[in-house]
Amino acid sequence: MEGMTVVLFGATGDLAKRKLFPALYNLYVENKMPEVFSVIGLGRTPYTDDVFQTKVEQSLRAFSRSKIQDEGFQQFLSSFRYSTFDATEPTSYEQLNDLIERRERELNLPENRLFYLSVAPSLIDVITSNLATSGVSQTSGWKRLIVEKPFGSDLASARALNEKLRTAFNEDEIYRIDHYLGKPMVQNLETLILVNPVLDSLFNHQLIANVQITASETVGVETRAPYYDKAGAIRDMVQNHLLQLVMMTALHLPKKAHPEEIRTKKMEIMQALRPIQEETLQTDLIRAQYNEGEIFGIDVPAYREEPGVPHSSMNDTYIAARLFIDNEFWEGIPFYIRTGKRLDKKSTRIVFEFKERPTQLEDYHPEGLAPNLLILEISPNESISLQVNMKDPSSNRFEPSTITFTTNLNNQPEAYELLLHDALLGNATFFANWKEVELSWEWIQPLLVAFEENRLPLATYTAGSTGPKEARQLLATDHFNWW
Ligand code: BG6
């Protein structure tokens, strides 16, 4: 890999500390960084290079998945430099340019520059415009831009933001992070059925009754009320992570695909995603907010009592929906998605429920057989499970029994590490491209308007529960349960 410079905007922030410095270090330890590289951290707080390097070291000691090794560690740290930065101030960009160029000369680096924007959304367009006008983003090598979510707060703002980015970067130079696409199991989805003929044979629309995608969290709004109370679960989780999971699940590629084919296929799935219309809004979508409750034996407050949340907030902390993908393969097979904060457990998973076969074995299962399930656990644990029915000799009845496959790999690379590595290599397969982002906002937009106009009641659920009863009813009307 050729040498390069990583320019990190927001280097004093939480993401840099918890995820980005550790990701760079783990890539370095695994020889996935170029032999020579430069990292330039930018933030408002004035630091010297020494203080910045100490901060990086502290972050690695606290958050790196691989242990700090003596060998090469000082050399790794010595690649870091810092520049105090005010995003609206032209002189900040001049200083940045000087620093980047000086380091490129010192280290004999080609002008390959990766700009990582881990900053407040309001600063993204200011920074990109300034990068272009100041000349920082004009290089004789390659340039790439990584942007964090949220990518806009509705369709219009996402389009406006994209136009701004495009003044300084081409689409193939923009890497929009959706960290769910960095989760190893999600990255596996594309090839899982190719390498497992058994799973491939299950991936058959005549066998699948429904698909369920769950992203449940136990945490509440934490300290993010100013952002979250405006975003809600619909923007925070559904528009990006859940719709990306829907696209990745529905892919069904017959052979190893080129990144471009994957993108086209994902786009086609988004285009085939049936819009939730006025008539189906009440029946196909549930929005809810948590009440006080108990999680792991600890009392937790209602959303409206959380610090910074207005007492009258009508924001959603939970969304469930019934979706249909109108293409040949998925015709008539519902996708149920749900996500919420302050639920009973932390789990992201995809479950395929299979159709029942009429049997002549009613004696063995008077209440009905449990369905066969294929369960892909994405995080925090990763596994593939199959639920089948086995006869219990003592009761002479068929009971569900689950077999689970895990890789037994501890210490797996984290999402940010995989994604950063892909960006260093120029592989954008697991980043959200503009068309996907735009189509997901187009799909979400009418829902935002309906929420705004209070056309959908806001249900409630007890913190620590599995969610609102309305979400159970959503599946009950189709004679299914959530898994
Ligand atoms: C983030 C959301 O994008 O994803 C958070 O902003 C959420 O609200 C987080 O908690 C969940 O990510 P993960 O990887 O813990 O499932």
Side-chain angles (χ1 to χ4, degrees):
M1 200 189 295
E2 269 194 319
M4 68 186 72
T5 301
V6 177
V7 183
L8 181 53
F9 297 82
T12 53
D14 216 44
L15 187 76
K17 181 168 80 180
R18 287 172 188 273
K19 301 287 180 194
L20 304 180
F21 299 145
L24 285 170
Y25 181 64
N26 287 304
L27 291 175
Y28 174 77
V29 169
E30 294 185 357
N31 295 321
K32 291 178 179 158
M33 289 295 286
E35 216 161 297
V36 190
F37 60 92
S38 146
V39 182
I40 297 186
L42 302 165
R44 289 180 71 94
T45 324
Y47 286 150
T48 61
D49 289 337
D50 284 347
V51 172
F52 182 53
Q53 290 177 4
T54 310
K55 297 268 174 206
V56 174
E57 176 169 0
Q58 285 164 350
S59 120
L60 299 181
R61 297 209 180 272
F63 301 109
S64 169
R65 74 178 170 88
S66 40
K67 251 181 84 203
I68 305 302
Q69 299 170 9
D70 289 343
E71 202 191 321
F73 186 59
Q74 285 313 321
Q75 196 189 339
F76 174 79
L77 281 185
S78 70
S79 314
F80 286 72
R81 293 289 182 281
Y82 185 82
S83 188
T84 313
F85 185 76
D86 177 343
T88 56
E89 193 45 67
T91 52
S92 281
Y93 296 85
E94 284 164 25
Q95 281 165 14
L96 172 62
N97 211 11
D98 291 347
L99 181 54
I100 296 176
E101 286 180 355
R102 197 178 75 227
R103 292 295 287 156
E104 282 172 347
R105 280 195 304 275
E106 280 170 8
L107 301 169
N108 199 18
L109 287 172
E111 290 180 13
N112 297 328
R113 298 176 187 169
L114 176 71
F115 302 96
Y116 197 123
L117 297 193
S118 168
V119 294
S122 57
L123 292 179
I124 295 179
D125 61 351
V126 186
I127 293 178
T128 36
S129 326
N130 275 302
L131 281 179
T133 48
S134 65
V136 178
S137 64
Q138 278 138 37
T139 73
S140 61
W142 54 252
K143 64 174 190 297
R144 294 176 194 140
L145 176 79
I146 302 187
V147 257
E148 276 291 333
K149 64 165 279 232
F151 199 87
S153 54
D154 58 12
L155 181 58
S157 60
R159 281 184 174 150
L161 174 59
N162 201 53
E163 261 169 44
K164 275 275 166 54
L165 299 191
R166 291 299 305 276
T167 57
F169 295 87
N170 295 328
E171 172 61 23
D172 63 2
E173 293 171 331
I174 304 173
Y175 291 67
R176 295 174 198 80
I177 287 247
D178 185 309
H179 79 281
Y180 271 49
L181 291 176
K183 295 187 187 262
M185 181 61 92
V186 178
Q187 299 206 335
N188 274 342
L189 282 174
E190 168 217 350
T191 41
L192 203 61
I193 58 166
L194 290 180
V195 296
N196 292 300
V198 168
L199 297 187
D200 192 23
S201 66
L202 295 179
F203 224 79
N204 173 336
H205 72 276
Q206 297 193 336
L207 298 181
I208 300 173
N210 68 70
V211 181
Q212 303 183 11
I213 300 180
T214 299
S216 94
E217 299 191 81
T218 52
V219 292
V221 63
E222 299 175 291
T223 51
R224 301 162 73 215
Y227 150 75
Y228 192 82
D229 197 60
K230 291 201 179 69
I234 189 84
R235 293 180 176 86
D236 186 51
M237 294 292 290
V238 180
Q239 181 272 328
N240 37 58
H241 306 325
L242 286 200
L243 289 182
Q244 283 292 342
L245 288 183
V246 169
M247 288 180 242
M248 292 303 291
T249 308
L251 269 181
H252 193 238
L253 296 162
K255 57 177 175 38
K256 178 86 186 114
H258 190 264
E260 220 26 66
E261 283 174 69
I262 298 181
R263 292 185 153 201
T264 309
K265 195 77 199 246
K266 284 174 75 183
M267 214 172 68
E268 286 169 4
I269 290 162
M270 268 320 292
Q271 280 162 337
L273 191 65
R274 193 185 299 169
I276 295 187
Q277 310 275 16
E278 192 59 49
E279 316 79 65
T280 46
L281 184 66
Q282 305 279 341
T283 50
D284 287 2
L285 195 77
I286 308 297
R287 67 190 294 254
Q289 190 185 82
Y290 60 82
N291 276 332
E292 63 185 6
E294 194 188 294
I295 294 193
F296 308 132
I298 297 168
D299 289 341
V300 295
Y303 175 72
R304 289 178 186 181
E305 304 302 323
E306 297 271 20
V309 175
H311 290 313
S312 57
S313 171
M314 291 294 283
N315 188 32
D316 39 86
T317 61
Y318 180 100
I319 297 281
R322 174 178 22 233
L323 313 180
F324 288 98
I325 298 170
D326 290 328
N327 66 17
E328 211 182 320
F329 188 91
W330 294 108
E331 197 65 64
I333 302 176
F335 272 61
Y336 302 107
I337 60 169
R338 61 176 165 165
T339 182
K341 297 220 177 269
R342 285 285 192 233
L343 294 171
D344 61 333
K345 58 173 168 261
K346 169 80 183 158
S347 165
T348 303
R349 60 185 179 279
I350 303 169
V351 179
F352 297 85
E353 175 172 337
F354 295 95
K355 288 180 184 159
E356 277 191 43
R357 286 255 169 89
T359 63
Q360 306 298 315
L361 298 171
E362 279 80 8
D363 290 353
Y364 292 120
H365 55 90
E367 299 93 30
L369 275 177
N372 284 172
L373 303 176
L374 173 66
I375 305 160
L376 308 181
E377 274 290 340
I378 294 171
S379 65
N381 303 310
E382 251 191 57
S383 64
I384 300 176
S385 306
L386 202 53
Q387 176 178 290
V388 295
N389 289 301
M390 301 254 297
K391 192 150 85 173
D392 177 347
S394 55
S395 65
N396 211 24
R397 288 155 58 116
F398 280 93
E399 302 289 351
S401 173
T402 303
I403 176 162
T404 297
F405 308 93
T406 55
T407 52
N408 290 330
L409 282 180
N410 291 323
N411 202 10
Q412 293 223 50
E414 289 203 7
Y416 273 98
E417 215 174 303
L418 294 171
L419 292 174
L420 205 50
H421 189 228
D422 281 350
L424 296 179
L425 292 172
N427 179 353
T429 312
F430 294 112
F431 291 83
N433 83 347
W434 167 240
K435 212 56 215 162
E436 291 158 21
V437 174
E438 187 179 37
L439 286 166
S440 21
W441 276 121
E442 276 176 9
W443 190 87
I444 292 281
Q445 187 63 34
L447 308 180
L448 300 181
V449 176
F451 291 7
E452 196 74 10
E453 294 171 356
N454 272 328
R455 279 188 276 123
L456 190 70
L458 183 70
T460 55
Y461 59 101
T462 308
S465 70
T466 56
K469 65 176 186 322
E470 289 80 354
R472 286 189 289 282
Q473 281 155 8
L474 177 78
L475 267 69
T477 54
D478 293 341
H479 310 288
F480 295 129
N481 290 312
W482 287 106
W483 302 108

